[in-house]
Structure formats: C-alpha cells, structure tokens
Amino acid sequence: MNELCVVDWSISDTQKWLEKEGLSLETRTILCEANRMSGKFFLALTEQDFAMEPISKLILRDRKCLYMAVKLLQRENQNSMISLGLIELPSVSLYTPNNSYLKHNDYSDYCESDFISRPASEDGRSQKLPPEIFKLFISFCYLIFVTWITAFVMVIVHDRVPDMNKYPPLPDIFLDNVPLIPWAFDMCEISGTILLTIWLVVLIFHKHRFILMRRVFALSGTVFLLRCITMLITSLSVPGTHLQCRPKNITSGDVFLFSDIAAKISQAYVIWSGGGLAIQGVRTCGDYMFSGHTVALTMLNFFITEYTPRNLYFLHITTWVMNMFGIFFILAAHEHYSIDVFVAFYITSRLFLYYHTLSNHQGLVQRDYRRTRIWFPLFSFFESSVDGIVPNEYDTPSGIVKNIWCVIKCQLNLLRQFAYDCRNRSSFIGDRDTASTMDFKKTK
C-alpha cells in the first residue's frame, strides 16, 4: 500500500491505513464497508463532511483521530488533489499576506486552518512566468542610476588616491611574485567582451529573456552599489608603480571636495559612456576595493552557465576558463590587489547563488514575507510572480521573427484604433457644435 498513490488505494488499502492510524474496527467498517470509501475520497473530505453523518456519529476519539489523519494525508498529497480538481493554484505573491489555500480567518470546528505553501511542479519548475516588462524597465533604470553613481564615486576616489611618493604599493603575495604584463588588462576586457557576446546570444533565443534581463540588471546594480560604498570609505594605495595616478591638490578654505560639481559630472560621464573600460580610453585610480572587472566577468559567467542547457559542457568550461583567466589578467596587469579580485568574486558569486536559491524555492520565504520585504526589497518586488525554477527553453529564429511581427502588428492595430477613435471624437464634436449653432439660430 505504501508504494501506491493515495488515488489508487482500494477499499482494503484504505482499511489498512485506517488501522495503522489507530481507528477502531467499528469506524473502519462504517467508512469502508458501509460507505465504500477508497483513497481518493479521503482526499475530498471537507470540514462540512465531518459535521455530517456518518462521521458525526463516530465516537469523539475516532473523529479527532480521523480528522488529523485526513489533514496530514491531504497535505502530503497536494499534487494529487490538484490533478483531481479539489484545489487550485492561487494567484499569490510575496506581497499577499495570505500565502495559503485557506484564508487565515477560516476556522474549522476542530482546529485552525493550516497554512499550506503552494505546490510546485514535479521538477520544481515555475508554473507561471509572466514577462512583466514594467519590472524589467524598473530594473534597467535601477542599473543606469547605480552606474551613474559608480562613475561619480570613481571621480571622487580618483581625486583622493594616496600620494605614490608617500604611500608605496602594499605587500601582496601575487603582485610581489608575478612580473607586470602590460597587455594583460586589455586581454581581460577582451575576455569580458566575448562573455558579454555569448550572454546576448543566450538572451536573444531564451524564451524567458525578460526575466533573465531583469535579474542581471538587479543583481549587477546591487553589487556595483555595494562597490560604491567600499571604494568610498577606504582609499588603498596604488598597486603598481607603472600607474600614473596623481591626486587632485585640495586645499583648505573655500576649495572643497565637491566644489566643482560640473567638472566632476563631466568626468563621470566620460567614465560612464566608456563603460569604465581601458580599451575605451577610460583610466581611473583609487577604485580598488573591489574589482569591477571581476564583478562583470563573474556575473556573466554565472548567468551563462545557469541559463544554458547542462549538457553544454564545452561552453561552461569555456566561460569558467575565461572568468579565471580574466581575473589572472587583472592581477598580471597589476591593476588591482589580490584581495580586490577575491572579494569581488566572493560577493558576486554569493549574491548570485543566494538570489537564485530564494527565487527557486519560494516556499522558503512565503511564510516570512514581512521580513523578506524588509531585508530583500528588490527580490520581493522583482520575483513576486515567479514561483519556481525558470526553465531553459529557447525560441527558434523563425519563432523570434514571428514574435516580433506579432508585436509590430499589435502596435499597428492599436495605432489604427487610436486614429479611428480620434476621427470619431472629432466628428462627434463637430456634429455637436453644428447642432448647437442650429438651436441657437432657431431660438434667436
């Protein structure tokens, strides 16, 4: 019986289960022999059934025992109840206080209704994945805002970089033992460009591209916002003597750090428009803790490996190799200390894994939604409509062209409808004015 699904239990299997739960012979006889109750009918029992005959005629001990056994059986077989049409998936989210099938105010005659997390599919994949383009737009604006803040902070820390004559490079195990490779930093940025190209290809063909873009914008923005704080609070000395870094001379009195805001904004725009890349002519100093290049390389690597099929071993190995070699090139160019790249890799990878662990297992946060909203506000907002793992499903090129054409066609239909409504409105106003004029002439 234990190997059978509850739906497949026969009457004899049900009798054995009732005996195991400690119900008396009289109760088993009434339920199974007199009323022919099999397994699936126990899944269909409701609060009203317990208040009606024959269950209401049972002795109190057997009624309580049967109630607890049925509740546990129903909780353990939610997927079977869904397939039988006994319960439906509720449209709940992290913002909905009642994350259960039964409302919090619904009480039975026997005990308070249980909170039950919504079931996922057999493999844990999400059963509803709305694109929610407005959330994508918000995450994009969030990333743009953070990158502007980052560029502005980089201008400030560049002016505060310690004097190289006073503060030589700090001792570093890697930098002290690996000679400078002048072209290494360019190779790091080339590796990042290749990873970005691969990621863009994944986005083009992935069916859930809007969710993927939303996640990469949200995670990247959060990591770079944290980087702004670490860069600003502590200024490390320049890691290599080959770097030409000179702090801006700031004197006391009327000259203040933020006095020339326009100049700083102009410099920040140069950094922002160039993406902070040396191959784009951007050279900055002081932005060491932690490495932004390592963040970009690691984030792209993790997103590519997460949202491509598991059997693409060559691709995953390639992205990991490019990630590791990119980090090596950063250190070989003596552009960052070893601690900079280590902290960057650790923070980026942990944040990525924590975010996806929570989003893939919404049951972990459903019961504590208030704390989730306080400590993870962005996660609570962006992932409120995702109830499981985002499957790696892809569109064909013809499917992508068809989708684009459908979007264009819908927009054209909306424009035609809008133009038609405008013409009707203008015609109505004209007819109304004409009628008013005629009435005025008749009255006169």
Side-chain angles (χ1 to χ4, degrees), residues 62-103:
D62 281 5
R63 288 173 65 193
K64 294 291 186 181
C65 187
L66 179 63
Y67 181 85
M68 291 186 291
V70 169
K71 280 293 181 182
L72 182 60
L73 187 71
Q74 290 176 345
R75 171 172 288 189
E76 293 174 347
N77 294 272
Q78 292 181 28
N79 288 336
S80 297
M81 295 179 69
I82 293 174
S83 63
L84 292 173
L86 299 175
I87 56 176
E88 296 180 357
L89 284 174
S91 56
V92 298
S93 69
L94 294 176
Y95 287 97
T96 307
N98 297 328
N99 289 327
S100 59
Y101 293 125
L102 300 176
K103 294 183 179 179

Side-chain angles (χ1 to χ4, degrees), residues 405-421:
W405 170 245
C406 289
V407 171
I408 295 174
K409 189 175 180 180
C410 290
Q411 296 299 322
L412 291 175
N413 290 335
L414 288 175
L415 289 175
R416 291 194 191 99
Q417 184 64 35
F418 178 75
Y420 178 76
D421 292 341

Side-chain angles (χ1 to χ4, degrees), residues 31-234:
L31 294 177
C32 296
E33 295 184 7
N35 290 276
R36 312 297 294 173
M37 293 283 290
S38 61
K40 65 181 178 181
F41 296 113
F42 280 92
L43 295 179
L45 285 177
T46 63
E47 306 289 345
Q48 290 77 14
D49 294 329
F50 279 88
M52 298 170 59
E53 293 183 5
I55 298 179
S56 62
K57 296 298 183 180
L58 301 177
I59 62 175
L60 182 60
R61 176 194 172 275
D62 281 5
R63 288 173 65 193
K64 294 291 186 181
C65 187
L66 179 63
Y67 181 85
M68 291 186 291
V70 169
K71 280 293 181 182
L72 182 60
L73 187 71
Q74 290 176 345
R75 171 172 288 189
E76 293 174 347
N77 294 272
Q78 292 181 28
N79 288 336
S80 297
M81 295 179 69
I82 293 174
S83 63
L84 292 173
L86 299 175
I87 56 176
E88 296 180 357
L89 284 174
S91 56
V92 298
S93 69
L94 294 176
Y95 287 97
T96 307
N98 297 328
N99 289 327
S100 59
Y101 293 125
L102 300 176
K103 294 183 179 179
H104 184 61
N105 294 327
D106 291 344
Y107 294 89
S108 108
D109 296 335
Y110 303 94
C111 67
E112 182 180 353
S113 297
D114 297 310
F115 284 92
I116 305 173
S117 300
R118 63 181 161 187
S121 60
E122 294 294 334
D123 56 358
R125 295 187 178 187
S126 179
Q127 297 183 351
K128 59 171 187 174
L129 292 168
E132 297 182 304
I133 300 178
F134 76 99
K135 289 186 178 180
L136 170 62
F137 176 74
I138 293 174
S139 65
F140 177 73
C141 293
Y142 170 65
L143 178 63
I144 295 298
F145 174 75
V146 170
T147 52
W148 255 107
I149 297 296
T150 303
F152 191 78
V153 171
M154 290 171 70
V155 174
I156 296 174
V157 298
H158 182 86
D159 294 342
R160 296 176 61 239
V161 65
D163 190 347
M164 298 177 64
N165 297 323
K166 281 185 170 184
Y167 303 97
L170 299 173
D172 187 285
I173 294 178
F174 190 93
L175 302 186
D176 293 343
N177 293 280
V178 175
L180 171 65
I181 303 177
W183 46 264
F185 203 60
D186 291 341
M187 289 299 300
C188 162
E189 295 185 345
I190 292 174
S191 300
T193 304
I194 296 174
L195 287 175
L196 178 61
T197 303
I198 297 173
W199 173 239
L200 292 177
V201 172
V202 173
L203 283 179
I204 291 173
F205 289 99
H206 205 286
K207 283 188 176 180
H208 309 292
R209 58 186 67 87
F210 294 111
I211 296 177
L212 271 58
M213 287 190 288
R214 184 177 73 210
R215 289 182 173 182
V216 73
F217 291 156
L219 285 172
S220 300
T222 301
V223 176
F224 277 99
L225 187 61
L226 179 60
R227 181 173 181 256
C228 292
I229 299 173
T230 58
M231 285 192 301
L232 193 59
I233 58 179
T234 302

Side-chain angles (χ1 to χ4, degrees), residues 121-407:
S121 60
E122 294 294 334
D123 56 358
R125 295 187 178 187
S126 179
Q127 297 183 351
K128 59 171 187 174
L129 292 168
E132 297 182 304
I133 300 178
F134 76 99
K135 289 186 178 180
L136 170 62
F137 176 74
I138 293 174
S139 65
F140 177 73
C141 293
Y142 170 65
L143 178 63
I144 295 298
F145 174 75
V146 170
T147 52
W148 255 107
I149 297 296
T150 303
F152 191 78
V153 171
M154 290 171 70
V155 174
I156 296 174
V157 298
H158 182 86
D159 294 342
R160 296 176 61 239
V161 65
D163 190 347
M164 298 177 64
N165 297 323
K166 281 185 170 184
Y167 303 97
L170 299 173
D172 187 285
I173 294 178
F174 190 93
L175 302 186
D176 293 343
N177 293 280
V178 175
L180 171 65
I181 303 177
W183 46 264
F185 203 60
D186 291 341
M187 289 299 300
C188 162
E189 295 185 345
I190 292 174
S191 300
T193 304
I194 296 174
L195 287 175
L196 178 61
T197 303
I198 297 173
W199 173 239
L200 292 177
V201 172
V202 173
L203 283 179
I204 291 173
F205 289 99
H206 205 286
K207 283 188 176 180
H208 309 292
R209 58 186 67 87
F210 294 111
I211 296 177
L212 271 58
M213 287 190 288
R214 184 177 73 210
R215 289 182 173 182
V216 73
F217 291 156
L219 285 172
S220 300
T222 301
V223 176
F224 277 99
L225 187 61
L226 179 60
R227 181 173 181 256
C228 292
I229 299 173
T230 58
M231 285 192 301
L232 193 59
I233 58 179
T234 302
S235 296
L236 301 178
S237 59
V238 180
T241 56
H242 67 288
L243 298 173
Q244 301 298 320
C245 297
R246 285 184 171 80
K248 181 178 179 181
N249 293 325
I250 301 176
T251 59
S252 59
D254 296 333
V255 181
F256 186 67
L257 179 62
F258 299 103
S259 60
D260 194 3
I261 298 296
K264 283 181 168 49
I265 293 177
S266 177
Q267 295 170 10
Y269 175 76
V270 173
I271 297 173
W272 181 81
S273 60
L277 300 176
I279 56 178
Q280 294 290 334
V282 177
R283 300 297 301 182
T284 58
C285 297
D287 54 328
Y288 300 127
M289 178 59 69
F290 44 89
S291 170
H293 283 72
T294 303
V295 169
L297 290 168
T298 307
M299 192 71 73
L300 290 170
N301 172 32
F302 272 73
F303 267 98
I304 292 171
T305 53
E306 176 70 19
Y307 294 108
T308 51
R310 295 291 180 263
N311 56 359
L312 295 181
Y313 303 113
F314 178 77
L315 176 64
H316 297 165
I317 292 174
T318 301
T319 57
W320 271 102
V321 169
M322 296 182 72
N323 190 179
M324 294 299 104
F325 267 93
I327 292 175
F328 169 78
F329 287 138
I330 294 172
L331 295 174
H334 290 207
E335 292 282 348
H336 278 280
Y337 291 105
S338 301
I339 187 66
D340 299 341
V341 297
F342 174 78
V343 170
F345 180 83
Y346 183 83
I347 290 177
T348 306
S349 59
R350 294 314 95 179
L351 188 61
F352 179 92
L353 293 174
Y354 295 158
Y355 190 98
H356 282 76
T357 298
L358 290 175
S359 62
N360 293 344
H361 303 84
Q362 287 281 5
L364 297 175
V365 295
Q366 282 182 1
R367 293 192 179 186
D368 205 2
Y369 72 97
R370 291 185 180 88
R371 184 179 297 178
T372 303
R373 290 180 64 181
I374 294 172
W375 289 103
F376 306 102
L378 286 178
F379 170 83
S380 301
F381 175 69
F382 288 133
E383 303 298 326
S384 60
S385 300
V386 179
D387 59 359
I389 300 173
V390 176
N392 288 329
E393 301 170 342
Y394 304 93
D395 286 324
T396 60
S398 59
I400 295 174
V401 173
K402 183 178 179 181
N403 291 336
I404 294 174
W405 170 245
C406 289
V407 171

